[in-house]
Every structure is written in structure tokens, then in C-alpha cells.
Amino acid sequence: MSPIVTVEHIGKSFKGLRALHDVSFTVDAGEVLGIIGPNGAGKTTLFNCMAGLFPPSTGTVHYEGQDVTGWSDARLARAGMVRTFQLMRPFGSMTVVENVAVAAAARGESEKEAEAEAWDIVQRIGLGQYATRTSKDLPTAGLKRLELARALALHPRVLLLDEVLAGLVPTERQPVIDLLLSIRDEGTTLLFVEHVMQAVMALSDRVIVLNQGEMLASGTPEEVTKNPEVIEAYLGDEVTDADSH
Amino acid sequence: MSETLVQTVPSPMRKRRFFDGNMIAVVVLVVLAFPLPLLLEQGQEAIAIRVLIFAMLGMSWNIMSGFGGMFSFGHAAYFGIGGYTSSILLVNLGISPWIGMVAGMGLAAGYGVIVGWLCFRYKLRGTYFALATFAFAEMLRIIVQSAEVLNASVGWNVPLIQGSSWWLMQFPAGSPNYFWLGLGLMAACLVVTIVFMRSKAGRFTIAIREDETAASSLGVPVLRYKLTAIALSGAIGAVAGVFYTQYYLFIDPELGFGAYRSIEAILIPVVGGIGTIWGPIVGSVLLAPLNDITAAILRNPPPFLEFLQGRTGLDVMLYAVLIILVILFLPKGVFGTIKEKVTKR
């Protein structure tokens, strides 16, 4: 199977501060790739470079065989590579359905079609009861779902999920994990940055570990969690914590 | 998909009709306002016409800054470009102000797009963006004031015709046609605003105001839609400028491009309700008569205000007091507050 995303030798420096250095990996279509690492490891920077929020200082990103390095985030999103944010960014004055309709309309649908599709997605993602409420009134779990709903309205082929479970209490996590699995089952490739090991273990086909801007390890969740370097750099007690969830 | 995630709630989707609540309100407004010039005295009609000019100016600012979140402190530029373009074309070439209006709208929109693009190119936001719009408007005022070819500080008198002409937008003093013309233009601007705001472009404009990064990450071409909002705002500002010039038959650099005009453009929606369709209308009804009321008070003050006799500047003071009151007690403006109360109920 040919990779849907290829990242080659990506690096990013901010005024001399090296946030990311020579990171390379590929993701196959339909795969679920977890990206983990301690705080400041460069995970979000990697997402930002891939999703076009800012261009990488070095290296290239290929999506569906095309060099998309330096494409804007909006162009990439319309092409099907969509990211969500760790800190939820709803359009506060709009209703939940309107929020989702923005993304559907950006994909090129007419206002009427966009709203109809937004309504379907909102129902599907479990926000039906909030559909006509303004998004600023949503609880955290609802806002997380809204981030996903908006991304889904773009019919993504690759979803970059930045800490989609952060801020959720353990009982709220499993439904979101189930939701992500259903999105995967429909053929969407998922890349996700996550601190919640329960999700990393449950979802990932493969995991890459970043540390201080560099790639430390790559492999199945089991391989990675047994890697002594990874344990030393990051995981520590969290593996056992995750088992207890 | 887990069954527990699916919740079926009746769809809130409404049939999209051209004549929604807002459009019906426009029709009602026009029907109610239509007989006004036949009922009002000449002085009162002049105030009613100023309400219409204020409404268009306020609507113009509201699109860019209220709905679009790009705070403009230089809206006089659009007003002035409109007024100057139509009067120059009329005086020098005898071209109808209707054509002058179209040309003025185009020029104002083009000016807005260029200034906006420059500002966004250099990543000016918030206060810096506002200051840049102010600086560009001042630059236009100074250029116009010093350019002989533009009649410098003398300004332009619209040549008087004897009689009445819709084509030349000129009627005898006191003619109800001025009010009807202004009402028609104002209603047209209002309809355009409503149609814009319920279009895809309007939805994107709000999304960009709420969170530009999120909008962009969802595929919205941010720059294109920011400039679209500015262009529309500029075009409506120009319509206000053209009608002003045709009604007062005069425009000069201060009246067209002066900072006072930019402040007026801000105050109208601030008082009425920023980012609402009807805010500028409510704001103009409240603010436009202020000048006349204060002038009347100063001319003939009641006994306890005798010390005001012959003084000037009371209108500006009243503006200030009104703004302080609105900011303190109605931060969403008059219409904005009412709308919020009704929606929450």
C-alpha cells in the first residue's frame, strides 16, 4: 500500500530555537498513527508544519503523492488533510450546526446543502441535543466533539487530532475513542497527538515517539512501550497508569 | 458507530425563503416610512433624511467592523470617495450621479481592498489595523485638500438645475422625492446586507471574526472573505457619500474625509448594536436628530440652561455622554441588548 502522507526530514526552528529536527515517517491510508512524547517534544509543531499553519524550516510533506510543503492550512483542509486543536476554538456566537456548516460550506457546498450536512454530522457525532444552542454554551466534552464534527464536514482523508481527549474525565473518553474508531472504519487516516495512554494503546496501529524535537522510536504500541529509551525519556509510570484505567 | 452516540432530535432546518423575518421588516419599515415626508414639516424632513444618511454610513461600518471584526477608524474615506467621485463626474463631465454612484462604489471598494490587503500583508490587527485605516483616510483628506485638480479645500458645489430630475438626483428644496430616494437607497443597502449575511460569504465573515485560525484550518479562504467584506462595506459607504452630496449639494475635504465622519460611522452601530442587522438603523434614529435638538436648545435654552445661550459643541458633549451611557449600561447597543433579551427568553 502506498503511503497517503510522507514526511521527510522535517525541521522547524523559531529564532534559533530548534523545535523539530530531521523527522521522517510515512503513514499508510487507513492507518492510525499515534504521536507521543513529553511536553515540548515538538508534537504540536510537527502538526502545525504538516497542516500548513506555518511552513517547515527544512524538509517536505507529501500528501496523496503531491508535495504540499508550504500549502496554506485552508488549502490543505479543502484538499482533505484537516487538523483539530488541543484548545477548542468554536465560533462562539454561532450555533453548533452553524459551526459545522462553515466547514461544509468551505468544502464548496451551497449554504443549503452545507446546513443539511452539518445537521447530519451533528446528529451522528452525538451533539443532536445541542444542535441549535450557541457553541459557547457547550461543556468541554461537547466542544471536543464539535472540533471533530467540524473536521468531518470537510470529508477528511487524513485527520490530525491534537489531544482530542485532553480535558475529558475518564468516563467521557471511551465514547470519543469509539467515535474515532468509527471514523477510522470509514477509511479516514488518523494521526493523533495524545497524552492519554489508554487512547494511544486502544487506537494506534503504530506509534512514533518524539523527544526534544527528534524522533526517538517508532513501532507498534507494544514495541514502543517496551523500548527502554522511550521508557526513560517519557513513559515512566504512565504505562502502568494506563493499564489501570 | 456506537448506538449511544446517536440522538435523534427533530431537525431545526427551516425552509430558506427570500422573504424571511428581516426582509419582511424591511418592507414594513419602507411602507411605514413612505408617507413621512407628506406628514413632516420641512425641518423635520431634513432630520429624517439625515437619519437615512446615518443609517447607510452605519451599515457600511457595521459590515466591516461589526460583522467582520476589522475595526475601521477611517470610514470617512469611503464616504468621501463616493461624494467626490459623483460630484467630479457630474460637474466636469455632466455624468449622472447614478453612474457616479456606481463609479464611486467601485473606487471605494477598490480602495478598501488595497488598504485591507496592505494591512493584512503586514499582519496589522486590532488597534494597529484601526490606526492604519485612520492614517489612510487622513492621507486621502490631505491629498484632496491640497490637490488643485480636486478643487483643494474649496470642495465641490453640485450645479443647480431648475426643477426636478431623478436622473440627476436633484429636486427642489423640501421635495419629498429626496426622502423617497434616500429611503430607497437605504432599503437597498439593508437588503444587500441581509442577503450578504445569510450567504456563504456572510457566514465565513462571522467565522473569521470569531476565530481566524480556526476558520482557516477549516478551509475558509480568510483573506479573500475579509477583503470581500471590506469591499462591500466600502461600496455602501460610497452610496451614503453620494446621497449626502446630492442632498446638501456640496462636499469638501472635511465633510467628506474628515475624522468626524469616521467617528459618526462608528457611533451609529455602537449605539444601535454592533454586528446586528438593525443596530445601525436604531442608532441612526437615535443619533441623527441630536444635532438639531442641541442646536435648538442652544438657540433658545430653557431658563435653567440659560448659560448655554450661544455656545457651541453641545452636540459633541451629548455624543460623549450617550456613548459613556451605552458602554456602561448597554454594551451591546440598544438593538443588541433587546435582541439578546428576547432570544434568551
Side-chain angles (χ1 to χ4, degrees):
Chain A
M1 190 187 289
S2 64
I4 189 165
V5 175
T6 307
V7 172
E8 284 180 310
H9 308 297
I10 277 257
K12 182 71 188 176
S13 298
F14 298 100
K15 292 182 180 167
L17 180 74
R18 203 176 72 177
L20 210 56
H21 178 66
D22 198 23
V23 173
S24 300
F25 59 90
T26 60
V27 191
D28 290 333
E31 196 181 10
V32 181
L33 179 74
I35 300 167
I36 61 171
N39 285 330
K43 305 180 296 287
T44 298
T45 305
L46 174 65
F47 264 21
N48 286 342
C49 287
M50 290 176 70
L53 219 70
F54 43 67
S57 308
T58 59
T60 57
V61 180
H62 282 77
Y63 165 61
E64 292 191 321
Q66 201 172 2
D67 186 352
V68 296
T69 322
W71 279 28
S72 73
D73 51 352
R75 187 175 173 198
L76 272 168
R78 290 194 298 273
M81 186 144 101
V82 185
R83 74 161 292 171
T84 66
F85 290 92
Q86 178 188 353
L87 298 171
M88 296 78 77
R89 311 186 74 137
F91 306 127
S93 71
M94 292 187 186
T95 66
V96 168
V97 166
E98 286 168 346
N99 260 271
V100 180
V102 168
R107 201 168 53 78
E109 292 189 354
S110 72
E111 268 298 271
K112 198 174 166 187
E113 291 164 348
E115 214 163 278
E117 182 173 10
W119 178 250
D120 288 344
I121 291 172
V122 164
Q123 293 281 352
R124 187 196 142 189
I125 211 151
L127 285 174
Q129 57 180 325
Y130 297 111
T132 53
R133 300 256 288 271
T134 51
S135 56
K136 64 176 178 237
D137 299 332
L138 283 182
T140 305
L143 287 171
K144 290 280 180 186
R145 283 170 189 252
L146 177 58
E147 281 278 324
L148 272 176
R150 294 195 306 194
L152 289 181
L154 285 153
H155 296 191
R157 287 192 284 283
V158 176
L159 255 183
L160 308 175
L161 305 163
D162 197 353
E163 298 209 28
V164 75
L165 298 175
L168 297 183
V169 297
T171 50
E172 291 170 330
R173 287 177 189 159
Q174 193 55 47
V176 176
I177 292 174
D178 291 342
L179 184 59
L180 292 176
L181 286 169
S182 78
I183 294 168
R184 178 204 61 185
D185 291 345
E186 286 167 11
T188 308
T189 308
L190 301 180
L191 281 77
F192 67 103
V193 164
E194 197 50 78
H195 279 300
V196 179
M197 291 308 293
Q198 170 201 12
V200 178
M201 304 306 271
L203 281 167
S204 314
D205 297 319
R206 197 155 54 92
V207 176
I208 62 173
V209 187
L210 294 181
N211 189 31
Q212 296 182 351
E214 297 188 27
M215 201 147 112
L216 189 67
S218 161
T220 64
E222 290 73 25
E223 285 167 358
V224 164
T225 50
K226 284 177 187 152
N227 183 323
E229 273 185 291
V230 174
I231 293 171
E232 189 186 334
Y234 168 60
L235 291 169
D237 296 335
E238 286 198 37
V239 180
T240 39
D241 278 356
D243 290 341
S244 63
H245 279 307
Chain B
M1 159 89 50
S2 153
E3 283 302 311
T4 54
L5 293 174
V6 180
Q7 302 183 2
T8 43
V9 172
S11 166
M13 295 275 297
R14 286 161 304 188
K15 278 188 182 165
R16 287 175 161 269
R17 293 195 182 94
F18 182 77
F19 274 98
D20 63 356
N22 280 324
M23 287 294 189
I24 292 167
V26 175
V27 174
V28 171
L29 179 76
V30 170
V31 169
L32 289 180
F34 197 81
L36 276 182
L38 306 174
L39 305 172
L40 297 176
E41 292 168 20
Q42 199 168 328
Q44 294 168 328
E45 192 196 334
I47 299 174
I49 288 173
R50 192 153 60 241
V51 169
L52 299 173
I53 297 170
F54 271 35
M56 286 187 268
L57 185 60
M59 266 187 258
S60 159
W61 186 89
N62 196 38
I63 288 176
M64 174 170 163
S65 308
F67 293 119
M70 299 167 275
F71 196 96
S72 165
F73 202 11
H75 248 60
Y78 307 117
F79 189 89
I81 288 175
Y84 262 76
T85 307
S86 71
S87 48
I88 289 171
L89 290 178
L90 177 64
V91 173
N92 288 344
L93 303 168
I95 292 174
S96 158
W98 289 103
I99 296 168
M101 182 185 287
V102 174
M105 289 166 75
L107 278 177
Y111 161 84
V113 167
I114 291 169
V115 170
W117 185 83
L118 280 173
C119 289
F120 302 137
R121 165 78 181 72
Y122 293 101
K123 302 199 187 322
L124 296 186
R125 285 168 193 232
T127 322
Y128 297 101
F129 177 82
L131 284 174
T133 58
F134 177 71
F136 274 102
E138 277 296 283
M139 189 184 77
L140 279 191
R141 185 181 62 81
I142 292 164
I143 291 173
V144 171
Q145 212 156 33
S146 44
E148 288 303 325
V149 67
L150 299 173
N151 269 4
S153 51
V154 176
W156 294 85
N157 281 300
V158 174
L160 285 173
I161 56 167
Q162 299 303 320
S164 186
S165 163
W166 281 94
W167 179 237
L168 290 174
M169 275 193 207
Q170 204 180 117
F171 312 101
S175 160
N177 290 350
Y178 271 124
F179 180 86
W180 289 328
L181 172 63
L183 184 64
L185 290 173
M186 194 276 291
C189 293
L190 197 49
V191 168
V192 167
T193 306
I194 293 168
V195 170
F196 175 74
M197 286 320 297
R198 66 186 185 196
S199 73
K200 188 187 279 195
R203 178 162 285 172
F204 287 166
T205 302
I206 299 276
I208 293 165
R209 177 191 71 188
E210 302 279 299
D211 192 324
E212 195 173 317
T213 306
S216 184
S217 77
L218 292 175
V220 176
V222 168
L223 181 64
R224 187 194 308 166
Y225 284 97
K226 276 173 135 180
L227 296 180
T228 304
I230 293 177
L232 179 62
S233 172
I236 291 179
V239 174
V242 173
F243 179 63
Y244 172 94
T245 310
Q246 285 303 123
Y247 177 64
Y248 291 104
L249 299 170
F250 177 66
I251 192 157
D252 71 9
E254 205 54 53
L255 292 170
F257 295 94
Y260 192 80
R261 191 70 68 202
S262 296
I263 295 172
E264 249 171 25
I266 300 170
L267 291 187
I268 296 157
V270 165
V271 170
I274 292 179
T276 60
I277 297 279
W278 295 94
I281 310 292
V282 174
S284 61
V285 170
L286 293 173
L287 286 180
L290 261 191
N291 288 9
D292 301 83
I293 292 168
T294 53
I297 292 174
L298 292 177
R299 222 177 12 251
N300 218 343
F304 67 99
L305 289 175
E306 240 166 35
F307 63 94
L308 287 174
Q309 177 95 48
R311 314 224 168 226
T312 55
L314 184 63
D315 56 335
V316 183
M317 278 173 58
L318 273 181
Y319 272 156
V321 171
L322 196 65
I323 288 304
I324 293 169
L325 289 177
V326 165
I327 288 169
L328 280 180
F329 300 110
L330 302 169
K332 297 199 163 171
V334 175
F335 181 77
T337 307
I338 295 169
K339 187 182 168 195
E340 196 179 60
K341 292 242 158 95
V342 171
T343 324
K344 272 197 177 163
R345 202 172 281 167

